[in-house]
Amino acid sequence: QVQLVESGGGLVQAGGSLRLSCAASGRTFSRYAMGWFRQAPGKERELVAGISWSNGSTYYADSVKGRFTISRDNAKNTVYLQMNSLKPEDTAVYYCAADRYSDYVRTTSRFGYAYWGQGTQVTVSS
């Protein structure tokens, strides 16, 4: 089992920045691909960024490319999501997730990720 705990959410004005953190404990976190998902009210949960363990390669949804940056520190068992130039449409609950079956980002589907954090609210005001 892997336990994931997100932090860093909050209220920010449009154009502002936030940095989310996801601290992992339990089994071998560093061998799992990690992802940040978000879910807005009435919408599907979507992958916004993912990072591989093996070579650090990354995936970004088109809606966040150039604004969000995902990174990981395997020594600290932590993955980060730096969010810049935030927009009101970025408002959502953000979840950290781990894919226990792969060390690279193999899927954008939420069903490919076995471990989830409790989520952290990000609200961007206009």
Side-chain angles (χ1 to χ4, degrees):
Q1 285 287 341
V2 172
Q3 292 78 43
L4 304 173
V5 179
E6 303 98 334
S7 61
L11 173 65
V12 64
Q13 288 187 331
S17 298
L18 282 174
R19 188 194 196 201
L20 305 183
S21 298
C22 173
S25 61
R27 300 192 65 182
T28 314
F29 155 82
S30 62
R31 295 187 179 274
Y32 300 154
M34 298 296 296
W36 281 100
F37 285 77
R38 69 184 180 189
Q39 188 166 19
K43 293 190 175 182
E44 294 291 320
R45 190 172 298 189
E46 62 170 345
L47 179 67
V48 295
I51 188 165
S52 299
W53 167 77
S54 54
N55 61 6
S57 61
T58 55
Y59 161 87
Y60 294 98
D62 288 343
S63 58
V64 306
K65 279 181 181 176
R67 300 188 298 122
F68 290 12
T69 302
I70 188 171
S71 61
R72 66 190 296 166
D73 186 335
N74 288 339
K76 295 183 178 180
N77 286 350
T78 303
V79 63
Y80 305 96
L81 185 67
Q82 178 67 43
M83 306 186 293
N84 298 329
S85 303
L86 283 161
K87 305 175 181 179
E89 51 264 44
D90 294 318
T91 296
V93 178
Y94 284 70
Y95 298 90
C96 174
D99 180 353
R100 67 175 176 174
Y101 293 118
S102 178
D103 62 359
Y104 64 95
V105 181
R106 64 184 176 97
T107 179
T108 59
S109 169
R110 61 177 293 184
F111 299 106
Y113 291 77
Y115 302 117
W116 292 86
Q118 82 287 352
T120 184
Q121 176 70 46
V122 171
T123 303
V124 184
S125 63
S126 57

